[in-house]
Amino acid sequence: MDLAHGRSESNGHGRLARRALLAGAAGLSAGALVGRARSLAHAAVSAAPAGHVPHGVELRGMYLTSRNRTAEGRFGMMFKKLPPYAPSDDLLRGLSESMVEDQTVPDDSLLNTNPRLFAGYTFIGQFIDHDITFDNTPLAQQEADPYATTNFRTPRYDLDSVYGRGPALEPQFYDPADPDKLLVTPNVHGVPDVPRGGDGRAIIPEGRNDENLILVQLHQAVARFHNRLVDHARAQGIRREWVFETARRLTRWHYQWAVTHDFLPRFVGDALVGPNGTVYREVAGRPPVLTLTYYRPTNKDGRPFMPVEFAVAAYRFGHSLIRPFYVINQSTSDRGGVPVFGADGGFNLNGGRPVPPDLVVEWKHILPVDPAFPARRPRRIDTRLSLPLTTLPAPVVPPPDPTVHLAVRNSLRGKAVGLPSGQQVARLMRAPVLTNAALGLSNDPGWGGEAPLWYYVLKEAELPPTNAERLGAVGGRIVAEVLVGLLQRDPTSYLYLDPAWKPAPPIAPATGQFGFVDLLRFAGAA
């Protein structure tokens, strides 16, 4: 492998009673796996460090599309010519409040049956989301442009959520004894962890990655992967001044490869992303063939933006994957699983604290690390959310919006940003158009024969032929085109700099084969 290949970048050197516990835990401390308040809360954003979005604060610029449907700032519309769909709030609330798992059926019947899906991919999806929506725009520019009409920091999955601005500009994220490496250090419990302040919170560029204990340990694993690549680069004789950039580039490229070749096909299917994919298709000995029909930025610079159809609807399929309990090691298995939410500092997955010894992730429990070990599955992709997501606590529902049901928040936010209906998008895509009767909606004339896009994406996935195992035609196409399109326009990506590049040994198990399990293995985390 030619480690020095590629352009240089800027030098930024007793089992629990599940149902009973859920009823009590649902109203305690959640985390931003759940949604954020509709209010922009500019004062809270202004008080936070650049790149850190506090709980309950909506992402800057998300409501630009409600003011200008054709604008492309930090956010924009993918389907600009489709009109907004605006059923009454009462209809949206009634539908959304019904989107709850049946508490009387066996837990196993609620699990995804796709043999390629495992519970850990829920958190990989969240990590990707935080990476592409990470906003490190300088504070003065954020305050001057609260609607993010200017896209100072285009959405990319380039891991600046892990690297920040590099060791020269943000040394607090790096090892003072070896600044080419990210800082991974034992915490107060003696457990390997990210650096933390006196309040226990992580000192990392993207504070949202500290919102639950699985996610922050994934962040740490990516840091460890980079550090192993630093050692690898040095062993290959890379010049000292190039070591950090070489390791960062390889970390980014392997991560990006894992998104396009591991994460995406599991959720959108090989027909869209795979050897014969219609959006991303590998060709032997040549660069991949991309076909982007709907995600096509029209601004004069061709700068990518985050489509609200993706951010507020299609990619929120991840909310339906969340389990109320997770088994992440043998200790949690013996205790019937650890609740996803609970009282701060307790036996739960709440972040914002040093990783406790009994909640260290053994990745084989939630990812296919060991073929002989049955890793846990996520929930089905359907219109039913786990009970803890239906009663959100005060930290994620700040005034003036008192809504505590995640589905209600998602649905009202979709209306607020001006999303088109699901059927409108399906017709434009020439995909099968599902009627409201097929979607299980009431015949209330207030629907106008249409359905909210987020609900449509979930119900489409739930019905044949995908049967709640993966996304359907509309949802899958939006997710595939946006993630592939962002990579295509990222000047640091392998697809931009060296589209014929492929992972190779010793980092990958074989040339062209690399996924998130391989990342964990090379990092020494699995």
Side-chain angles (χ1 to χ4, degrees):
M1 175 180 294
D2 179 10
L3 291 176
H5 181 71
R7 302 179 192 176
S8 176
E9 301 166 27
S10 60
N11 187 9
H13 253 53
R15 193 170 179 86
L16 298 170
R18 290 173 178 257
R19 303 301 185 194
L21 180 57
L22 280 175
L28 297 174
S29 178
L33 266 174
V34 299
R36 292 174 174 79
R38 175 177 168 181
S39 170
L40 286 173
H42 299 310
V45 172
S46 299
H52 179 74
V53 180
H55 288 341
V57 176
E58 190 54 86
L59 297 177
R60 186 177 68 95
M62 182 170 283
Y63 292 98
L64 173 64
T65 53
S66 66
R67 304 171 72 239
N68 184 345
R69 203 159 185 79
T70 63
E72 293 180 0
R74 189 176 174 213
F75 288 86
M77 297 291 304
M78 193 171 182
F79 305 104
K80 296 176 173 60
K81 294 183 179 180
L82 294 181
Y85 177 58
S88 72
D89 286 2
D90 286 344
L91 271 181
L92 290 173
R93 285 182 181 277
L95 171 65
S96 301
E97 288 170 353
S98 72
M99 296 173 66
V100 185
E101 287 180 346
D102 186 345
Q103 304 301 302
T104 67
V105 302
D107 191 70
D108 287 349
S109 68
L110 303 173
L111 299 182
N112 200 300
T113 57
N114 184 342
R116 300 172 67 185
L117 288 188
F118 301 90
Y121 284 97
T122 305
F123 300 91
I124 290 172
Q126 187 185 11
F127 181 90
I128 296 167
D129 172 62
H130 290 177
D131 193 37
I132 59 180
T133 59
F134 178 62
D135 186 9
N136 63 0
T137 303
L139 182 59
Q141 292 176 325
Q142 289 191 38
E143 292 174 331
D145 186 20
Y147 285 99
T149 57
T150 301
N151 196 352
F152 293 107
R153 190 270 180 193
T154 56
R156 302 171 181 165
Y157 44 108
D158 58 0
L159 291 176
D160 58 355
S161 59
V162 174
Y163 290 111
R165 295 181 175 89
L169 297 177
E170 293 186 311
Q172 66 271 28
F173 307 137
Y174 293 83
D175 187 343
D178 188 350
D180 287 334
K181 293 185 175 182
L182 289 152
L183 184 56
V184 176
T185 183
N187 62 25
V188 294
H189 306 301
V191 172
D193 203 350
V194 297
R196 294 186 177 275
D199 61 356
R201 296 191 177 278
I203 301 173
I204 54 178
E206 175 52 274
R208 291 178 296 171
N209 282 353
D210 191 34
E211 286 167 354
N212 70 73
L213 293 175
I214 298 177
L215 185 60
V216 77
Q217 290 179 78
L218 177 61
H219 181 112
Q220 180 215 119
V222 173
R224 292 169 64 181
F225 182 77
H226 166 89
N227 292 349
R228 284 289 308 278
L229 286 173
V230 168
D231 293 336
H232 183 61
R234 288 170 175 165
Q236 297 295 309
I238 297 298
R239 290 174 55 176
R240 180 180 58 81
E241 62 269 27
W242 294 348
V243 166
F244 172 74
E245 292 294 353
T246 299
R248 179 167 67 169
R249 176 175 55 79
L250 286 174
T251 300
R252 284 172 168 169
W253 287 13
H254 283 82
Y255 161 66
Q256 291 163 352
W257 183 277
V259 173
T260 53
H261 294 78
D262 182 18
F263 177 82
L264 260 180
R266 293 177 191 270
F267 287 104
V268 306
D270 295 330
L272 288 175
V273 178
N276 298 303
T278 55
V279 174
Y280 184 108
R281 176 166 58 90
E282 287 289 343
V283 180
R286 291 164 47 193
V289 175
L290 311 183
T291 305
L292 302 180
T293 305
Y294 307 109
Y295 179 57
R296 305 173 76 174
T298 60
N299 58 74
K300 63 179 181 179
D301 299 320
R303 293 165 67 89
F305 63 90
M306 183 61 61
V308 289
E309 295 92 336
F310 172 92
V312 186
Y315 201 66
R316 295 194 179 216
F317 77 89
H319 290 157
S320 69
L321 299 173
I322 298 170
R323 299 176 59 139
F325 291 82
Y326 283 86
V327 169
I328 59 173
N329 56 35
Q330 189 57 50
S331 172
T332 57
S333 178
D334 294 341
R335 299 173 70 173
V338 54
V340 66
F341 306 138
D344 286 343
F347 182 68
N348 54 65
L349 292 177
N350 289 15
R353 55 175 170 155
V355 177
D358 60 342
L359 294 176
V360 173
V361 177
E362 295 175 18
W363 293 102
K364 69 177 183 179
H365 288 271
I366 56 175
L367 287 172
V369 172
D370 181 353
F373 190 90
R376 266 66 176 185
R377 307 263 174 206
R379 288 300 207 232
R380 293 156 45 93
I381 303 177
D382 60 17
T383 56
R384 307 291 179 180
L385 305 187
S386 296
L387 184 62
L389 302 184
T390 66
T391 309
L392 307 183
V396 293
V397 286
D401 185 351
T403 307
V404 297
H405 196 301
L406 175 58
V408 175
R409 298 177 71 84
N410 284 348
S411 297
L412 293 178
R413 185 176 295 117
K415 176 181 175 180
V417 302
L419 291 180
S421 73
Q423 286 93 341
Q424 288 171 330
V425 176
R427 284 191 287 268
L428 185 147
M429 288 185 172
R430 294 189 173 92
V433 180
L434 301 174
T435 65
N436 276 12
L439 295 172
L441 290 182
S442 70
N443 58 5
D444 191 304
W447 292 120
E450 308 281 308
L453 181 58
W454 178 59
Y455 179 85
Y456 187 98
V457 165
L458 293 178
K459 194 67 177 183
E460 174 192 55
E462 180 181 336
L463 297 173
T466 47
N467 298 311
E469 292 187 340
R470 59 176 174 82
L471 291 169
V474 170
R477 188 80 189 205
I478 293 173
V479 170
E481 288 214 8
V482 171
L483 287 180
V484 170
L486 293 180
L487 190 64
Q488 180 191 43
R489 292 170 172 82
D490 180 353
T492 70
S493 74
Y494 77 86
L495 201 56
Y496 185 94
L497 291 172
D498 188 2
W501 174 85
K502 288 177 171 52
I507 302 168
T511 299
Q513 296 180 20
F514 188 84
F516 282 99
V517 166
D518 301 306
L519 185 152
L520 293 170
R521 285 181 176 141
F522 190 81

